């Protein structure tokens, strides 16, 4: 019995390696705190990259509160099996594939009560047994904090290209974002940069900016921690609307400051992966 389990483990390791070898850049989205906009960033980033004709996959490793399917408008779809016992991701649009717990057919209203090893098992399957094919980017969305799920991802993927840390501007959030930076350092993951989300609200009536959560905490944290700053995304009610309606904000050709912020962030990420040091990271 043990021998069979050991053999299965070894085979899965081989499948994992073969799968991940076909993905050029693996980017994990982290935060120290909950609700700061990781999933919003992950979904919009994946969508924007796929629009620029990169082949993109997105993995939702939030087992207890999976939101990617809802934000991508695919919550009625499900992951299917192939004849060879592999899993087919859901095709969101040309060049964009997704997997999430929410796509495995569990009752969305019931909490999933799983301990660490079981969660690690499903994350490993998402990486090793899903037919991702050749990808330019695999974007990994995490639950808040630096717990089991991001740790599992970082242990399973041999070389993560980098982490993106999302924070809101107030001190408590940026303090927590330090943990995500240190987590990346400890696991030898390059920090692509910090994004300050919900950074000021443009008043829809007078057009003036209101700093609900203060300002520049993310920028300050990035200077102190000596990691790049990728940009600030304003608080924009259209993100909520877009997320709830299942079409990512960046899908709309919108000249707003939020849209421009995203264009800038995507550019910085492309610059990061195109540095000679990371260009052939997977090889
Ligand atoms: N820039 C923004 N402007 C307005 N609303 C936003 C913005 N970013 C995120 N939101 C909204 O805030 C809520 C939380 O965002 P999101 O789910 O992306 O956070 P999260 O960090 O992934 O949360 P969790 O820690 O629970 O996984 C969502 O309703 C989302 O639409
Ligand atoms: Mg989330």
């Amino acid at each position: 019995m043990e021998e069979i389990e050991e053999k299965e483990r070894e085979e899965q390791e081989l499948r994992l390696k073969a799968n991940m070898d076909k993905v050029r850049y693996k980017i994990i989205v982290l935060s120290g705190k909950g609700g700061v906009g990781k999933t919003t960033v992950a979904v919009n980033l994946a969508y924007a990259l796929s629009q620029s004709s990169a082949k993109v996959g997105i993995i939702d490793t939030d087992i207890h509160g999976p939101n990617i399917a809802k934000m991508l408008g695919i919550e009625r779809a499900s992951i299917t099996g192939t004849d060879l016992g592999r899993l087919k991701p859901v095709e969101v649009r040309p060049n964009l594939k997704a997997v999430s717990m929410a796509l495995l057919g569990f009752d969305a209203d019931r909490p999933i009560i799983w301990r660490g090893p079981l969660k690690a098992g499903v994350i490993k399957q998402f990486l090793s047994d899903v037919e991702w094919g050749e990808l330019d980017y695999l974007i990994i969305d995490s639950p808040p904090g630096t717990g089991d799920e991001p740790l599992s991802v970082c242990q399973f993927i041999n070389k993560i290209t980098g982490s993106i840390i999302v924070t809101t501007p107030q001190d408590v959030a940026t303090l927590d974002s330090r943990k995500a930076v240190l987590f990346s350092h400890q696991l030898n993951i390059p920090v692509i940069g910090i994004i300050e989300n919900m950074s000021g609200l443009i008043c829809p009536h007078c057009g003036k900016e209101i700093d609900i959560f203060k300002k520049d905490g993310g920028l300050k944290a990035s200077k102190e921690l000596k990691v790049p700053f990728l940009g600030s995304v304003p608080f924009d009610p259209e993100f909520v609307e877009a997320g709830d309606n299942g079409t990512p904000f960046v899908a709309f050709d919108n000249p707003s400051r939020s849209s421009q912020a995203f264009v800038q962030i995507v550019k910085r990420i492309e610059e990061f992966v195109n540095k000679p040091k990371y260009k052939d990271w997977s090889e």
Side-chain angles (χ1 to χ4, degrees):
M1 188 66 184
E2 270 174 27
E3 270 172 33
I4 296 173
E5 278 175 15
E6 183 56 30
K7 193 156 179 280
E8 165 55 23
R9 234 190 323 269
E10 280 170 15
E11 282 173 3
Q12 192 178 23
E13 287 301 326
L14 293 176
R15 294 197 300 274
L16 176 68
K17 184 166 185 319
N19 244 14
M20 290 301 109
D21 279 353
K22 287 190 275 178
V23 180
R24 275 189 101 180
Y25 308 119
K26 296 116 180 160
I27 296 179
I28 184 161
V29 181
L30 297 170
S31 76
K33 246 175 92 70
V36 294
K38 283 175 303 304
T39 305
T40 304
V41 164
V43 159
N44 280 285
L45 186 59
Y47 204 95
L49 288 166
S50 76
Q51 279 178 321
S52 69
S53 80
K55 291 197 181 97
V56 187
I58 181 165
I59 296 189
D60 187 353
T61 65
D62 195 335
I63 308 292
H64 302 290
N67 289 145
I68 273 181
K70 167 91 180 146
M71 288 197 191
L72 286 171
I74 52 167
E75 74 265 51
R76 285 176 198 278
S78 58
I79 297 171
T80 48
T82 71
D83 295 345
L84 299 169
R86 308 260 295 160
L87 299 167
K88 260 201 177 138
V90 171
E91 303 258 353
V92 183
R93 67 182 300 272
N95 288 342
L96 180 58
K97 300 171 185 173
V99 297
S100 164
M101 271 308 279
L103 299 168
L104 283 177
F106 287 93
D107 180 349
D109 292 331
R110 272 177 199 267
I112 290 179
I113 302 167
W114 282 5
R115 289 192 193 278
L118 215 52
K119 290 194 271 186
V122 81
I123 291 171
K124 196 169 191 181
Q125 271 210 294
F126 282 168
L127 296 167
S128 59
D129 294 329
V130 169
E131 281 192 342
W132 291 108
E134 303 266 340
L135 290 182
D136 295 303
Y137 293 92
L138 184 63
I139 308 291
I140 302 143
D141 183 31
S142 319
T146 47
D148 276 352
E149 293 85 345
L151 188 61
S152 298
V153 170
C154 299
Q155 283 168 342
F156 295 145
I157 302 180
N158 192 11
K159 277 183 186 161
I160 299 216
T161 312
S163 63
I164 291 177
I165 293 150
V166 183
T167 183
T168 44
Q170 71 274 43
D171 290 345
V172 276
T174 53
L175 199 68
D176 286 332
S177 72
R178 279 158 224 260
K179 289 187 199 148
V181 171
L182 294 179
F183 173 86
S184 305
H185 289 338
Q186 274 172 11
L187 295 167
N188 279 327
I189 298 168
V191 177
I192 300 177
I194 294 183
I195 295 176
E196 180 174 301
N197 189 30
M198 307 191 194
S199 171
L201 163 79
I202 315 279
C203 171
H205 306 294
C206 70
K208 279 200 185 138
E209 194 166 324
I210 308 163
D211 296 333
I212 324 177
F213 294 130
K214 295 176 46 179
K215 208 158 168 62
D216 290 339
L219 180 63
K220 250 193 305 189
S222 78
K223 281 189 183 150
E224 273 170 38
L225 295 160
K226 299 187 173 53
V227 294
F229 184 64
L230 296 177
S232 21
V233 180
F235 191 99
D236 186 335
E238 285 191 31
F239 273 106
V240 184
E241 196 59 29
D244 284 356
N245 287 338
T247 311
F249 178 79
V250 294
F252 306 103
D253 203 8
N254 190 325
S256 66
R257 183 157 88 71
S258 333
S259 244
Q260 291 313 308
F262 244 95
V263 170
Q264 193 60 31
I265 289 168
V266 169
K267 218 161 103 197
R268 297 223 164 103
I269 293 167
E270 285 171 343
E271 276 164 16
F272 178 93
V273 298
N274 281 317
K275 281 186 204 157
K277 208 161 130 195
Y278 301 110
K279 202 164 172 34
D280 296 312
W281 191 247
S282 61
E283 284 158 21

